[in-house]
Amino acid sequence: MIIFLIGMSRAGKTETGMALSKKLKASFVDTDSYMEEIYGKNIRELYQVFGEKKFRLKEFECFNTIIEKIIEKFSPCPNEKNAVHCGCENAVHCDDVKAVVSTGGGYAENEALIKKLKDFPRIILIDTAPAEIFYRIKTAANKEGFYPAFLGENIKNEKDAEDRFFSIYERRIKIYKALASFSINPKGLSPEETADKIISSL
């Protein structure tokens, strides 16, 4: 079985996913990192070079490749047709989990990916408060000198960035909540503690 972590950029999916995979002794894949490795550019650069439409297509292609690699790596589960769907009907045991996949924050904007994810039984929303997410975005922007590409170009000031973020957040969070098997708010929790809560809910 594969566990997918979904949610906004800067929600803490990667840190939680790494902690979760370690506790479950499962493989870990960050889809953004995979894309960056394949194309040799960071996500911001890829978004700018490809444009959104082509970026979403490349994102979908990378996701399919990741899933294929995971399936190839592990033997089929005796309870299901393949390791991906193991545990869908029955109680999940820790040793059923073969991989933890942290997905890109913009997956909600990719209709093909959302449709594909609906085939999987364990999708967990890392539901970090939007004010906390924007604080992280703002802090990174102050350090790096730019805001993430998903906020768009020609951001006038912090208020403009904040308005754009909350508009995007409201759209994406509805999609993520409809897709998730369950959600967890990691407020006040370390990635390891968040991982423990996820494991107890499986």
Side-chain angles (χ1 to χ4, degrees):
M1 183 187 70
I2 303 173
I3 291 177
F4 294 92
L5 302 183
I6 62 172
M8 294 291 292
S9 175
R10 307 277 181 177
K13 300 184 300 294
T14 298
E15 295 82 359
T16 298
M18 292 175 67
L20 182 61
S21 64
K22 185 175 181 180
K23 288 176 180 290
L24 295 175
K25 295 180 173 59
S27 297
F28 174 71
V29 181
D30 180 282
T31 61
D32 281 353
S33 295
Y34 181 83
M35 282 191 73
E36 290 175 343
E37 182 179 342
I38 291 296
Y39 293 106
K41 296 180 183 295
N42 64 42
I43 291 298
R44 177 184 175 83
E45 292 169 334
L46 291 174
Y47 196 90
Q48 293 173 332
V49 169
F50 289 139
E52 183 171 8
K53 187 175 181 180
K54 189 173 182 180
F55 177 87
R56 297 304 174 199
L57 177 61
K58 296 296 184 182
E59 191 177 48
F60 182 72
E61 291 174 352
C62 284
F63 178 84
N64 283 333
T65 301
I66 288 168
I67 300 308
E68 288 169 3
K69 287 180 179 292
I70 293 172
I71 292 173
E72 287 173 4
K73 183 176 180 180
F74 299 103
S75 301
C77 171
N79 298 324
E80 296 290 341
K81 291 182 181 179
N82 59 56
V84 172
H85 294 91
C86 176
C88 182
E89 301 296 335
N90 304 312
V92 180
H93 301 287
C94 287
D95 56 2
D96 290 334
V97 179
K98 307 304 181 186
V100 176
V101 177
S102 172
T103 62
Y107 267 38
E109 309 286 359
N110 195 322
E111 291 184 11
L113 275 172
I114 292 298
K115 184 177 180 180
K116 185 91 172 180
L117 278 168
K118 288 179 179 178
D119 291 336
F120 298 92
R122 293 292 181 271
I123 302 174
I124 300 163
L125 170 61
I126 305 300
D127 193 15
T128 304
E132 174 61 25
I133 295 174
F134 183 71
Y135 174 79
R136 295 173 185 175
I137 289 173
K138 178 180 66 175
T139 301
N142 289 337
K143 181 179 180 181
E144 297 167 357
F146 53 81
Y147 285 95
F150 78 88
L151 293 184
E153 299 293 333
N154 303 316
I155 295 174
K156 300 179 182 66
N157 49 44
E158 184 181 309
K159 181 63 167 58
D160 184 25
E162 185 176 18
D163 289 344
R164 294 188 192 196
F165 167 76
F166 276 93
S167 176
I168 294 168
Y169 173 84
E170 291 299 329
R171 181 176 69 248
R172 291 184 179 182
I173 199 65
K174 292 175 184 176
I175 296 169
Y176 283 139
K177 286 185 175 180
L179 182 64
S181 307
F182 68 91
S183 63
I184 182 167
N185 185 336
K187 182 178 180 180
L189 301 175
S190 68
E192 290 73 22
E193 290 169 332
T194 305
D196 286 334
K197 281 205 164 190
I198 291 172
I199 291 171
S200 68
S201 64
L202 292 177

